[in-house]
Amino acid sequence: MTSCPECSSANSESLLTMNDDRQDDEHTVTITKYRCHSCGCEFQQIERWGVETEVTAHGREFEP
């Protein structure tokens, strides 16, 4: 459960979750909107995920 940033209450509900597909192939963003039942404010949590790909050895077709 996500705590409210205003009152620190864990009494909140998730209103909407959006995945941002406009990022490049190595990053994604998830935005979740919440409403706190204790103080009534609305807030959002933004998660950014990254994936890195690195070549550790070249195959037989590689030319320096």
Side-chain angles (χ1 to χ4, degrees):
M1 195 82 191
T2 302
S3 297
C4 175
E6 288 288 318
C7 69
S8 300
S9 172
N11 187 16
S12 60
E13 74 171 307
S14 172
L15 300 175
L16 176 67
T17 299
M18 299 178 291
N19 292 316
D20 190 352
D21 297 332
R22 294 175 293 169
Q23 299 294 317
D24 56 33
D25 290 340
E26 297 177 353
H27 299 88
T28 184
V29 175
T30 300
I31 301 171
T32 306
K33 296 190 178 202
Y34 293 94
R35 177 182 297 134
C36 178
H37 291 291
S38 295
C39 69
C41 73
E42 293 184 6
F43 60 96
Q44 62 186 14
Q45 177 178 337
I46 302 170
E47 298 174 280
R48 292 177 180 89
W49 302 92
V51 176
E52 294 182 24
T53 304
E54 180 180 321
V55 175
T56 56
H58 293 285
R60 64 180 178 265
E61 301 295 321
F62 176 72
E63 293 180 23

